[in-house]
């Protein structure tokens, strides 16, 4: 009579953290589906966070002032996933691609939209923590250039 439920979410980068330079893994959605399939075979209920909403979180988390017009349109269209798609389509050519904000890994030396805000840790400390953390990653998983 024991039921097991497993929850999972996609990595979303956040400002002022050692992983702020990483984008959302483009394979994440496929991996979530594989987990659901494999865990289901074992009788484990799998409740992943919506991959599409994780993409929106990353967009907002890593966005800059160029997204202001997008956010205004989204608000006007109703703040749904479809609203984001519609607004991005309408603003195509005036914004960087979604891939830039969401999936791309950024150089650790890149000027970030929030660099002018004093965070709890200096960038050099974040870079040190990132280097330490990624030393445990398989080499194939490291995509941020630590210049």
């Amino acid at each position: 009579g024991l039921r097991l439920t497993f929850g999972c979410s996609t990595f979303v980068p956040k400002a002022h953290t050692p992983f702020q330079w990483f984008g959302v893994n483009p394979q994440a959605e496929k991996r979530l589906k594989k987990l659901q399939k494999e865990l289901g075979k074992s009788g484990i209920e799998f409740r992943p966070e919506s991959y599409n909403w994780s993409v929106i979180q990353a967009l907002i988390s890593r966005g800059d002032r160029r997204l202001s017009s997008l956010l205004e349109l989204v608000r006007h269209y109703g703040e749904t996933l479809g609203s984001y798609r519609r607004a991005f389509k309408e603003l195509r050519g005036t914004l960087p691609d979604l891939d830039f904000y969401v999936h791309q890994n950024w150089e650790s030396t890149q000027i970030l939209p929030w660099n002018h805000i004093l965070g709890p840790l200096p960038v050099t400390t974040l870079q040190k923590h990132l280097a330490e953390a990624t030393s445990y990653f398989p080499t194939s998983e490291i995509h941020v250039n630590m210049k």
Side-chain angles (χ1 to χ4, degrees):
L2 180 66
R3 289 178 40 133
L4 191 58
T5 302
F6 180 70
C8 181
S9 61
T10 303
F11 165 77
V12 175
K14 302 289 194 259
H16 302 288
T17 67
F19 297 106
Q20 67 186 352
W21 296 282
F22 278 90
V24 172
N25 186 325
Q27 297 295 316
E29 186 172 29
K30 185 188 297 183
R31 290 177 178 181
L32 289 173
K33 288 179 181 177
K34 181 175 175 144
L35 267 174
Q36 180 140 30
K37 182 179 176 184
E38 295 301 317
L39 291 171
K41 290 178 186 176
S42 303
I44 299 171
E45 183 181 354
F46 183 56
R47 293 186 186 173
E49 182 178 296
S50 165
Y51 171 77
N52 291 325
W53 278 113
S54 294
V55 167
I56 300 303
Q57 287 179 45
L59 173 69
I60 293 169
S61 176
R62 297 176 91 196
D64 53 26
R65 65 184 63 170
R66 293 175 288 188
L67 288 184
S68 61
S69 55
L70 176 93
L71 295 175
E72 284 182 57
L73 279 175
V74 167
R75 174 85 169 126
H76 176 72
Y77 294 146
E79 300 173 4
T80 64
L81 283 173
S83 300
Y84 280 91
R85 287 188 192 101
R86 183 176 174 189
F88 240 106
K89 186 176 182 180
E90 190 171 319
L91 295 171
R92 187 172 305 167
T94 64
L95 297 173
D97 291 336
L98 184 67
D99 184 62
F100 168 76
Y101 289 114
V102 176
H103 298 293
Q104 279 186 10
N105 292 324
W106 294 342
E107 299 287 330
S108 65
T109 56
Q110 180 170 331
I111 296 173
L112 304 173
W114 50 88
N115 274 11
H116 64 285
I117 300 170
L118 182 60
L121 296 173
V123 172
T124 54
T125 302
L126 294 175
Q127 290 171 332
K128 183 179 124 199
H129 289 311
L130 176 64
E132 182 181 351
T134 56
S135 72
Y136 297 102
F137 289 11
T139 307
S140 62
E141 295 288 325
I142 301 174
H143 306 287
V144 173
N145 189 350
M146 298 297 301
K147 289 185 177 179

